[in-house]
Amino acid sequence: MEKKVEYNIITGCVLDVLPALERSVLYFESRYISVKVGITGRDPQERFNEHLAERRWNRMIVKYKTRSENLINKLEDYFILYHPRLKNNWIGYSHLSAGGDNYFYILLYGKR
């Protein structure tokens, strides 16, 4: 059975929603063994399926959506820099959807 992406999107200007995104990441870091953040400009389910092929994950939760490719890249870099417990190991610029929706998501494995 295919694991489905969960959508719990926080809306608004990124500066306004950053505290809520911070709380979400901290919450999941305290309750899961492995937490990773990511971004995609494609269908989130498609991206989740790719992650599942690489590693076993329990959940993928989409938390933020924007049309700004630059903003979503900065958001991912911010969390990787300030949350060293995340399982991310790359900071850089991803070319996503220049004219469509871009998503920020959280991957989770191993409930504590």
Side-chain angles (χ1 to χ4, degrees):
M1 180 153 95
E2 182 180 61
K3 292 183 181 178
K4 297 291 183 189
V5 171
E6 301 169 45
Y7 291 85
N8 186 4
I9 295 176
I10 301 168
T11 59
C13 169
V14 73
L15 293 177
D16 294 336
V17 302
L18 190 58
L21 292 173
E22 279 278 357
R23 284 190 300 276
S24 290
V25 169
L26 289 170
Y27 173 83
F28 290 125
E29 282 182 323
S30 72
R31 285 165 176 77
Y32 284 83
I33 294 166
S34 294
V35 179
K36 182 177 182 175
V37 297
I39 57 176
T40 187
R42 297 181 292 134
D43 174 55
Q45 185 64 53
E46 195 177 289
R47 185 65 182 115
F48 189 31
N49 292 342
E50 290 172 355
H51 281 296
L52 290 172
E54 298 167 3
R55 183 176 177 188
R56 191 171 57 191
W57 292 100
N58 296 116
R59 300 168 68 189
M60 177 174 162
I61 305 168
V62 175
K63 295 298 292 182
Y64 190 70
K65 177 174 76 169
T66 180
R67 291 196 175 268
S68 172
E69 188 178 17
N70 189 45
L71 175 69
I72 206 82
N73 272 282
K74 287 181 179 180
L75 188 63
E76 181 186 42
D77 288 351
Y78 169 84
F79 278 97
I80 294 169
L81 284 170
Y82 294 104
H83 290 266
R85 286 191 53 230
L86 293 173
K87 297 299 178 194
N88 295 73
N89 56 10
W90 182 79
I91 293 178
Y93 194 87
S94 298
H95 291 285
L96 304 171
S97 178
D101 291 330
N102 295 293
Y103 302 91
F104 173 84
Y105 59 85
I106 303 172
L107 290 165
L108 306 168
Y109 175 75
K111 197 162 184 147
R112 293 183 190 265

